[in-house]
Amino acid sequence: MATVGRPKRGVPEGLWIRCPQCKATIFRKEAESRFNVCPECNYHFYMPARERIRQLLDQDSFEEWFTDVRPKDPLGFNDRIPYAERLQAEQAKPGMLDAAVVGRGYIRGRPVVFGVTDFAFMAGSMGSVVGEKLARAVEEASRLMLPLIFVSGSGGGARMQEGILSLMQMGKVSCALGRYEQAGGLYISVLTNPTMGGVAASFALQGDFTLAEPGALIGFAGRRTIWYTVRLELPEGFQTSEFLMQHGFVDRIVPRKDLRTEVARIIDYCEH
Ligand SMILES: [Zn+2]
């Protein structure tokens, strides 16, 4: 049996998993059949980018773009492990050259441009490749005049191993979104657990509609960082989907099983 403290590398291996919220031991297959949601308490487990695409978009409708954009190590950065080696290790996981996947597809028959960040690749942090792919996806959405859907799952914001190049991605994606907005585009942002740092401080909270999965951690700096820097104890439930909805940052909390229908409905509402 495997234990999950917090969403690290997805639903862990093994027949049984332990829910971090209600502590129930649940049959892995059962959670999977419910889109990786705990059948006891509705806790939303981590969902890999590829599975998200399978669940949210119409079957086999996704055409992936910009697969040749790969990360580099322009600073020759070294921390515990050299960045170049870290990238190689992360890329050894199937199907991911960096933390974002973008392309076009259909949601209940409606054409969309779609992007998702994946926590499993360096906590979904926004390095140059993530910023570049998202910005290009926004530009394509402007050119094709299609609705744009981004699903965020990013624990960090900037990728410190890329220094200032990483920070610049926030501005780059935001500018592309600004132009898309001026062109009259519809951008639906879906926040999942966790959406933090520079991702929350840029594209994730710039949607025309901001949807959030239940119980997601959403914020800029984490609770501990805030305590160590300004000695402020945060109120209970601060930085959750529910708290943010009460305070006007999130428009609607949507359980994972309803996301597809809800996104399709918003598109229809805005286009008619
Ligand atoms: Zn549970």
Side-chain angles (χ1 to χ4, degrees), residues 2-188:
T3 319
V4 210
R6 56 188 190 131
K8 266 205 163 151
R9 301 278 164 174
V11 178
E13 298 300 319
L15 273 179
W16 299 91
I17 49 173
R18 187 152 190 240
C19 173
Q21 185 167 277
C22 70
K23 315 289 180 217
T25 301
I26 48 180
F27 193 41
R28 179 193 172 82
K29 282 243 156 64
E30 185 168 8
E32 281 176 356
S33 72
R34 292 165 189 256
F35 308 118
N36 287 355
V37 171
C38 173
E40 302 290 329
C41 74
N42 207 31
Y43 176 81
H44 283 50
F45 285 98
Y46 155 83
M47 187 122 168
R50 303 285 164 192
E51 258 177 80
R52 180 70 70 176
I53 289 165
R54 257 198 301 281
Q55 189 230 321
L56 215 50
L57 300 186
D58 298 349
Q59 200 184 351
D60 298 329
S61 74
F62 186 65
E63 171 202 327
E64 189 175 350
W65 289 340
F66 316 124
T67 50
D68 56 339
V69 185
R70 288 153 192 262
K72 287 196 163 163
D73 180 21
L75 306 181
F77 194 89
N78 267 294
D79 53 294
R80 206 162 35 82
I81 312 166
Y83 182 43
E85 278 177 34
R86 198 185 285 270
L87 281 174
Q88 273 182 0
E90 294 282 317
Q91 287 170 342
K93 299 171 195 170
M96 298 291 288
L97 286 176
D98 208 295
V101 179
V102 302
R104 78 178 274 180
Y106 288 82
I107 293 185
R108 297 212 186 283
R110 294 142 186 91
V112 296
V113 170
F114 183 82
V116 51
T117 62
D118 193 324
F119 189 81
F121 194 103
M122 295 194 70
S125 53
M126 185 160 48
S128 308
V129 170
V130 172
E132 181 66 17
K133 279 185 157 187
L134 295 178
R136 286 191 193 181
V138 179
E139 280 164 0
E140 280 302 289
S142 308
R143 193 176 65 80
L144 300 164
M145 268 336 284
L146 288 178
L148 174 71
I149 324 291
F150 280 161
V151 179
S152 306
S154 294
R159 188 175 298 173
M160 62 160 188
Q161 290 87 347
E162 293 184 17
I164 191 70
L165 296 168
S166 172
L167 278 181
M168 285 158 66
Q169 306 309 315
M170 294 167 69
K172 186 167 80 184
V173 180
S174 300
C175 285
L177 281 170
R179 286 191 291 269
Y180 177 66
E181 157 94 54
Q182 278 168 6
L186 165 66
Y187 168 34
I188 303 171

